[in-house]
Amino acid sequence: MSVSQKIDLAAGPQPFATVPLRIRAGTPRLPWLAALCAIALHASPVSPAAAAEAVAYRVAPGDRIGITVFGQADMSGETMIDATYSVAVPLVGSVSVRGLTLKEIEQRIAKSLSEGYLQNPVVSVRLTEPRPIYVVGDVRVAGSFPYRYGVSVIGAVALAGGFAVSEEQARATLRADFVQADERVRTLEATRLTLTARRIRLEAQRDGREPDFSSLEAGRGSEELLAQVKASEAQLHAFQTAALKQQIEMLQQQEPKLLENKRFVQEQLNAENRQLELIQQHLLDYNALLKSGLARRYTGIELQREEARNRGNIARFNADMSNIGLAIGELGLRIREAREAFQRRVWTEMQDGLQRLAELDATLPAARLTRELRLRQVGFVEDAGGVPRRALFVTRQVDQRSETFPIVEGALLEPGDILRVERLRETEPGIAPTAAAMR
């Protein structure tokens, strides 16, 4: 009982269908099946060495390798693969190792050294420090970490301090975020209400009328604030209007006094002018008597002195009249300046208020949207309950290109992998998804 087979071992593995078999009649089936299995194993097209080489580690930038040239200590040492996928080798210079395994690097360096530098060089290359792994997303401490052989996805998360926050902490954080967002909206709305009331008051002061706050509307829970703002602006309007009126009245009260003083000075001036006329008439009569020898010269000198004093008084009274006229004109200017200063202050406050209102109108929509999103997130967290679900993704260099794919917690990582942890939330039907995931 024998199995005869014709196999040319020197020719390498042959397909199973090309192996001729001659089986003698009556041969038991068990040895025949064993022979078939032995032939099939021998004829396998993939050897263990070839399979190991197919999955061998291929270097990339950031890997540190140790190069040993036997018998050449000066040419041995450690080096890091740079961004151009190259390493520096003494004598040879830069050697490209893009997409190569450690065995292929040995062969390339040996070939480069044998081209005019060394005879039959023996080169050994080992990986001394692989490039780090990176963990980002929903972890406590995102960053890069040294690679250790056999590190799994959950091990990398542990290196990053574990997942970011517990569910209870997430709820508390989201509630705090919502409270802050709601408080910001309330503050902006209150500021806008105050500025609007101020604008109404300033417009009334500009036009010289009483303010009308009937167009103001109270927001959510702002009825008390609206009443306070109305009362405050009405009181401020009354105070500023009364202050302006009092200032102008005080200035206007000076005008009758100046006019009365002017009338008194005018009467004195008229009296001096009349006296001057009398003195001048007396001088004419005196000169006539002096020519006829009936008057004394001393009397004429006294009359001339009286005339000079009278003319001095007239000049002084004229100066007083001019000063009073200037004072009356200055009083009018001061009244006008008081009104203009009040209007300038009103216009300045109004322009500032309008600018701030424009800024608030641009900020409020975003603040309200943020509050709504925070409220929706709080609702998602309250409704979800239980342990948060997370999705794990790895970005890896495959055939010199970057690929991202989902991965499970127990999977092993490779040097240079980027692990991304994302927290998942269940969205409500009919509601567009929001940024509820804490990333």
Side-chain angles (χ1 to χ4, degrees):
M1 300 179 187
S2 63
V3 179
S4 63
Q5 46 185 331
K6 185 180 180 181
I7 301 176
D8 186 2
L9 298 178
Q14 300 293 327
F16 180 74
T18 62
V19 179
L21 297 177
R22 292 194 298 272
I23 303 175
R24 184 179 303 173
T27 303
R29 294 183 178 181
L30 187 57
W32 173 68
L33 292 177
L36 289 179
C37 293
I39 295 172
L41 291 174
H42 183 270
S44 176
V46 180
S47 64
E53 183 66 21
V55 297
Y57 180 75
R58 299 185 182 277
V59 296
D63 287 334
R64 181 177 291 275
I65 61 175
I67 303 174
T68 302
V69 181
F70 291 97
Q72 303 292 332
D74 295 339
M75 301 181 65
S76 303
E78 291 188 2
T79 183
M80 179 178 291
I81 300 174
D82 58 24
T84 63
Y85 288 80
S86 300
V87 293
V89 179
L91 298 181
V92 177
S94 180
V95 176
S96 176
V97 295
R98 181 184 294 271
L100 300 184
T101 64
L102 297 178
K103 192 69 175 178
E104 292 170 343
I105 295 175
E106 293 177 354
Q107 296 171 358
R108 178 165 294 187
I109 294 176
K111 181 180 178 182
S112 300
L113 291 174
S114 64
E115 295 176 351
Y117 300 103
L118 297 176
Q119 292 183 355
N120 300 323
V122 179
V123 180
S124 174
V125 176
R126 70 185 187 282
L127 182 65
T128 59
E129 184 181 342
R131 55 192 182 277
I133 57 175
Y134 304 87
V135 185
V136 296
D138 189 32
V139 292
R140 291 184 181 274
V141 184
S144 62
F145 303 92
Y147 176 79
R148 295 293 181 267
Y149 288 101
V151 64
S152 62
V153 170
I154 196 65
V157 173
L159 290 175
F163 294 117
V165 292
S166 65
E167 192 64 19
E168 184 60 32
Q169 290 173 324
R171 289 195 190 97
T173 301
L174 289 177
R175 290 195 194 100
D177 291 342
F178 168 73
V179 171
Q180 291 179 354
D182 185 66
E183 182 181 359
R184 173 169 172 76
V185 171
R186 289 177 180 271
T187 302
L188 292 176
E189 289 178 345
T191 304
R192 190 181 188 283
L193 179 64
T194 302
L195 291 175
T196 304
R198 183 179 303 174
R199 176 180 59 80
I200 294 174
R201 187 254 303 170
L202 292 172
E203 289 176 349
Q205 290 179 340
R206 178 196 62 188
D207 301 335
R209 55 179 174 81
E210 290 297 321
D212 181 12
F213 299 107
S214 60
S215 60
L216 286 179
E217 296 182 359
R220 176 170 51 92
S222 301
E223 291 78 7
E224 183 178 356
L225 175 63
L226 177 61
Q228 294 176 355
V229 169
K230 286 183 177 181
S232 175
E233 291 297 329
Q235 292 176 0
L236 185 59
H237 172 79
F239 173 78
Q240 292 183 349
T241 303
L244 176 64
K245 183 179 180 181
Q246 182 180 4
Q247 183 182 7
I248 293 176
E249 287 178 351
M250 291 179 61
L251 293 174
Q252 289 175 342
Q253 288 174 2
Q254 298 178 18
E255 186 175 6
K257 297 179 181 180
L258 290 175
L259 293 176
E260 180 66 19
N261 192 19
K262 181 179 180 181
R263 185 184 63 79
F264 177 73
V265 173
Q266 183 65 49
E267 290 178 355
Q268 288 182 322
L269 180 60
N270 292 337
E272 291 294 333
N273 286 328
R274 179 59 181 166
Q275 187 175 0
L276 178 62
E277 291 177 357
L278 294 175
I279 293 174
Q280 289 176 343
Q281 184 64 38
H282 195 181
L283 282 174
L284 291 176
D285 295 339
Y286 171 77
N287 289 332
L289 292 175
L290 184 62
K291 289 180 180 180
S292 59
L294 299 176
R296 294 180 299 175
R297 183 174 296 277
Y298 176 78
T299 303
I301 294 174
E302 289 296 327
L303 289 175
Q304 290 176 356
R305 288 179 178 176
E306 186 68 21
E307 181 185 17
R309 284 194 298 269
N310 189 262
R311 289 183 180 278
N313 291 335
I314 291 174
R316 187 177 70 254
F317 289 142
N318 283 326
D320 291 342
M321 289 291 292
S322 299
N323 291 334
I324 293 173
L326 290 175
I328 293 175
E330 183 179 356
L331 181 62
L333 289 176
R334 290 174 63 187
I335 293 174
R336 180 178 177 182
E337 287 178 354
R339 289 196 174 98
E340 290 179 350
F342 181 80
Q343 290 295 326
R344 283 196 301 269
R345 185 171 65 253
V346 167
W347 275 102
T348 300
E349 291 183 12
M350 185 179 298
Q351 292 299 321
D352 179 68
L354 290 176
Q355 182 177 355
R356 294 181 61 187
L357 274 174
E359 294 174 355
L360 283 175
D361 289 338
T363 305
L364 260 175
R368 288 169 177 163
L369 178 60
T370 301
R371 181 182 63 184
E372 294 303 321
L373 293 178
R374 293 286 185 262
L375 178 60
R376 191 178 300 177
Q377 290 174 9
V378 172
F380 289 160
V381 172
E382 296 294 342
D383 295 341
V387 179
R389 298 190 305 110
R390 294 179 174 88
L392 305 172
F393 299 90
V394 161
T395 300
R396 179 176 295 169
Q397 294 291 329
V398 179
D399 295 335
Q400 302 181 26
R401 68 178 185 275
S402 179
E403 292 185 0
T404 300
F405 51 88
I407 196 169
V408 296
E409 292 183 353
L412 298 181
L413 295 178
E414 296 182 3
D417 281 353
I418 302 175
L419 174 62
R420 187 174 78 251
V421 182
E422 292 189 2
R423 175 174 293 197
L424 302 179
R425 294 291 181 195
E426 295 294 337
T427 58
E428 297 180 3
I431 299 179
T434 61
M438 299 183 62
R439 302 181 180 177

